[in-house]
Amino acid sequence: SVSRSACNSKGSMIVVSNRLPFILKRNEKTGELERKASAGGLVTAVAPVVIRGNGIWVGWAGIHLDNINEKIPESDPNDKTPTAGLLSSKIVAIHSEPQLFDSYYNGCCNGTFWPLFHSMPDRATFIADHWRAYIKINEEFAEKTVFALKLLKENKEKNGTSPPIVWVHDYHLMLAANWIRQRAEEDEIKCKLAFFLHIPFPPWDIFRLFPWSDEVLQGILGCDMVGFHITDYCLNFIDCCQRNLGCRVDRKNLLVELGGRTICVRPLPIGVPFDRFVSLAQNAKPVLSTSQKVILGVDRLDYTKGLVHRLKAFERLLQKYPEHIEKVVLLQISVPSRTDVKEYQDLKEEMDQLVGRINGRFTTPNWSPIRYIYGCVGQDELAAFYRDAAVALVTPLRDGMNLVAKEFVACQINKPPGVLIVSPFAGAGEMMHEALICNPYELDDAAEVIHRALIMPEDERTVRMNHLRRREQLNDVDSWMKAFLKAMDSLEEEADDIGAT
Ligand code: G6P
C-alpha cells in the first residue's frame, strides 16, 4: 500500500493547460498586448477556484510573445468574466520557438493524438520529429509548473500549509505530470498531482498503434489521480496500463499501481454552467424567423463531429419525406478550428461543396434547405439559436463528452420544447437517456430519427426535455469542479492495498 500526505481542497491550485483561460491579441496600432476573455464552461468553473486559493495558471497565450520578459497585461476593467480576477502575477506563460511549437501543437497534438484518441488511426500521422517536439514542450510546461510551485512555496503564509493541487489538462500535456513529480520531489516541494483528459481514451488495440505509447502512460501515471469523462475511458486506460506496462490494476475500484505508487482513476463527467445559459436564453432577442422549423447543428469544424454524415442524413430526410421541403431548415454553425492542419482544410472544402450540392438539389424560389455559417457566433445569439431551434443535431462520430448537447437543453426554456438528437459515440450520449439516439454512420436511420423528432407530439417532447434539463442542472460544471476536489480529498482513503484484477 502507499502512504499519502494529507490533501485537501483548501490548498492552492495550479492549473496547467495548453491554452491559458483567455487569448492574447496584439493591438495592431499600439503593438501592446491585450487580453480577450474566453467564455468556455471549464474556465467559468475552474478560474474562481484558482483565484480564491491564490493559485496560478500555466499555459500558452495563443500567440508567440516577442521575448521572455514581455509582460502579460492585466484584464480590461470592464471584463466581467471569471478570469478578470486572475492577476498577471498569477499567470505563467509558455515560451517556445514557433517552429517547435508548431510540431508539438499542429503535428503531435492535433495530427497524432487527436485522431488516434478519437479512434481514427487512418487520419493520424506518426512522425518522430513531432513526438520529439511534444517531449520538449511538455518539459517546458513541467519546468514552468515547478517554477509556479516555488512561487507558491515562497508565499506560504498567504497560501496556507496544505500542499497545492497541480491539475494538468488534456492530451497536449500527457508527459508533464511525471516530470513535475520528479522535479518537485528533488526540490522537496509537496504537491498533489491530477490529470484530466477532455477527449476519449481509446481502447488498447488503437492506443498501441502509437509507437511511444509506454511513455504516454508513464507520463500520465506520474499523477495521483487521473480523471476521464466516463467509465469506459477509465477502463480503456486501465487496460492499457496493464497490457502495455504490466501494471497491477483493480478494475472494480479503478486503481493502477506503478513503481510502488497507487494511482486513482475516476470518471468525472463534465457539465455546463447551466444557470448562465438559462439566463442568456431568457434575455436573448429572437434571431430566427418563425416561418420554418430549425434543425440546429453547432460544432467546431472537425472531422470527429460527423458533419458530412449529418448533411447527408438531412439530404436523405428531404428525399424520403418531401413534406419537410419548405417547412424545415438545417442551420449549421461551423466554427473554424486548427486551420493549419490539412485534415481540417480538406474538411472545409468538402463541407462547402456538399452544402452547395444539397442546396442546389432542393432549393426552391423561396427557400433553401441549409443555412451554413462558417464562423463564430456570440453567446447571446447562440443562446437564441439553442432556445428557438426545434431540433438539435449532436451527431459526432466520436466525442469525449460534447457540451453542445448540454448547452442546448439548458437553453430550452420555451414551452413546448424542442428535441435533442445525440450520437451514442459521444460521452454525452451515455447519460442523456431521454434524447433520441442516432447512429450517425447509418444515414437511413439518421433520416428516420430526424423525421421522428420533427413530428414528435408536444407532451412527449416536454417529458423528455424536463428530465434532460433536471439532470444537467444538477450535474452542472460547478458540481464537476466539486466532484474533482472531493476526489482529491479522498485520495488518502483510496490508497489501500490493490485488490483483485
Ligand atoms: C477540444 C480539446 C481542448 C481544446 C479545444 C479547442 O475541446 O479538448 O483542449 O482547447 O478542443 O481546440 P484548440 O486546438 O483550438 O485548443
Side-chain angles (χ1 to χ4, degrees):
S1 74
V2 189
S3 79
R4 290 170 189 280
S5 56
C7 163
N8 61 55
S9 46
K10 290 188 262 324
S12 301
M13 182 181 286
I14 298 176
V15 174
V16 191
S17 61
N18 179 54
R19 285 185 186 276
L20 283 168
F22 51 78
I23 294 170
L24 283 192
K25 288 249 159 76
R26 198 172 291 285
N27 184 311
E28 280 180 17
K29 286 198 194 111
T30 63
E32 306 257 316
L33 289 175
E34 288 167 2
R35 274 204 216 182
K36 296 263 170 265
S38 146
L42 168 79
V43 168
T44 318
V46 179
V49 177
V50 175
I51 294 167
R52 216 182 306 133
N54 214 14
I56 292 174
W57 203 304
V58 182
W60 173 55
I63 56 166
H64 293 288
L65 302 175
D66 283 350
N67 66 63
I68 246 167
N69 298 321
E70 193 165 14
K71 227 178 129 4
I72 303 273
E74 300 297 348
S75 60
D76 186 286
N78 299 322
D79 184 355
K80 298 277 178 288
T81 62
T83 55
L86 195 63
L87 302 176
S88 64
S89 59
K90 299 290 171 191
I91 293 154
V92 177
I94 292 301
H95 293 272
S96 135
E97 195 253 309
Q99 229 178 331
L100 183 74
F101 196 86
D102 180 69
S103 295
Y104 148 81
Y105 174 69
N106 291 316
C108 197
C109 296
N110 295 329
T112 308
F113 288 132
W114 180 267
L116 189 70
F117 279 40
H118 285 85
S119 294
M120 300 181 175
D122 290 351
R123 292 189 185 262
T125 53
F126 301 102
I127 297 171
D129 260 354
H130 293 172
W131 171 239
R132 273 192 285 276
Y134 186 85
I135 294 176
K136 280 229 167 86
I137 299 286
N138 268 253
E139 272 169 356
E140 162 80 359
F141 269 92
E143 206 165 292
K144 287 280 159 71
T145 307
V146 175
F147 169 74
L149 277 166
K150 287 180 181 162
L151 284 182
L152 288 186
K153 204 177 170 187
E154 283 164 17
N155 270 308
K156 222 170 173 180
E157 324 72 67
K158 262 199 184 157
N159 299 323
T161 46
S162 308
I165 293 174
V166 176
W167 193 5
V168 182
H169 287 265
D170 229 354
Y171 61 101
H172 313 89
L173 299 172
M174 294 187 287
L175 300 179
N178 212 12
W179 288 318
I180 298 170
R181 164 176 298 282
Q182 287 167 13
R183 298 275 312 275
E185 271 171 14
E186 281 162 23
D187 292 341
E188 296 186 355
I189 303 172
K190 276 206 181 119
C191 67
K192 286 285 141 192
L193 274 155
F195 177 77
F196 188 82
L197 188 72
H198 292 261
I199 65 173
F201 196 92
W204 180 65
D205 57 348
I206 298 278
F207 180 71
R208 67 199 287 229
L209 301 177
F210 185 63
W212 306 277
S213 53
D214 285 3
E215 281 93 323
V216 171
L217 295 174
Q218 278 155 351
I220 297 175
L221 289 170
C223 287
D224 302 294
M225 205 269 288
V226 181
F228 299 95
H229 285 303
I230 60 174
T231 307
D232 276 341
Y233 308 157
C234 294
L235 292 172
N236 286 345
F237 175 72
I238 290 176
D239 217 27
C240 290
C241 292
Q242 185 181 40
R243 300 182 83 164
N244 267 47
L245 302 179
C247 295
R248 284 216 301 157
V249 301
D250 178 340
R251 285 190 174 73
K252 191 165 145 276
N253 297 303
L254 301 176
L255 300 170
V256 176
E257 201 177 76
L258 183 73
R261 295 186 309 112
T262 304
I263 294 92
C264 294
V265 183
R266 288 288 167 268
L268 293 167
I270 199 168
V272 295
F274 190 94
D275 295 336
R276 190 179 92 203
F277 276 99
V278 172
S279 89
L280 281 171
Q282 279 164 344
N283 297 314
K285 290 192 195 73
V287 274
L288 299 175
S289 92
T290 47
S291 48
Q292 285 126 4
K293 282 187 176 176
V294 171
I295 303 174
L296 178 67
V298 180
D299 308 80
R300 275 186 312 100
L301 188 68
D302 195 301
Y303 51 81
T304 58
K305 302 294 181 183
L307 297 172
V308 167
H309 294 74
R310 188 181 302 169
L311 293 189
K312 287 183 177 164
F314 181 64
E315 179 182 31
R316 194 70 58 94
L317 171 88
L318 296 178
Q319 186 190 324
K320 275 177 94 172
Y321 297 100
E323 64 260 40
H324 296 304
I325 287 177
E326 295 191 325
K327 302 282 185 311
V328 168
V329 292
L330 171 62
L331 172 60
Q332 176 62 47
I333 296 157
S334 296
V335 180
S337 180
R338 305 177 192 161
T339 47
D340 291 334
V341 181
K342 181 158 187 306
E343 295 273 328
Y344 291 74
Q345 294 164 356
D346 292 349
L347 177 62
K348 161 90 174 47
E349 281 292 302
E350 193 179 0
M351 286 293 286
D352 287 352
Q353 282 184 16
L354 196 54
V355 170
R357 185 176 67 68
I358 298 171
N359 273 346
R361 178 172 172 197
F362 290 100
T363 293
T364 66
N366 299 309
W367 170 82
S368 284
I370 303 173
R371 263 177 247 162
Y372 184 62
I373 300 179
Y374 176 67
C376 303
V377 294
Q379 288 281 300
D380 293 311
E381 203 182 0
L382 182 64
F385 290 160
Y386 282 147
R387 180 193 60 206
D388 299 332
V391 176
L393 268 181
V394 182
T395 51
L397 305 178
R398 196 92 183 103
D399 208 335
M401 173 55 80
N402 195 297
L403 299 181
V404 167
K406 298 183 173 217
E407 293 170 2
F408 171 70
V409 303
C411 290
Q412 279 287 302
I413 56 173
N414 288 349
K415 290 188 180 67
V419 180
L420 172 66
I421 298 178
V422 68
S423 152
F425 313 124
E430 185 94 341
M431 275 154 287
M432 301 181 89
H433 307 297
E434 302 80 5
L436 294 186
I437 306 294
C438 150
N439 180 337
Y441 289 95
E442 199 189 342
L443 296 187
D444 268 320
D445 186 54
E448 282 305 324
V449 175
I450 302 171
H451 177 65
R452 202 180 141 203
L454 287 167
I455 60 164
M456 188 183 284
E458 287 182 8
D459 49 353
E460 182 179 349
R461 269 150 47 193
T462 305
V463 172
R464 287 176 183 270
M465 191 52 73
N466 284 348
H467 280 288
L468 287 165
R469 296 191 79 235
R470 210 165 300 137
R471 186 182 305 107
E472 292 311 322
Q473 183 161 34
L474 204 63
N475 300 310
D476 70 353
V477 73
D478 284 328
S479 93
W480 173 74
M481 186 68 223
K482 284 188 192 124
F484 167 76
L485 291 173
K486 201 167 154 219
M488 292 307 283
D489 271 351
S490 53
L491 280 179
E492 184 102 19
E493 299 137 41
E494 314 262 1
D496 289 335
D497 272 346
I498 209 154
T501 60

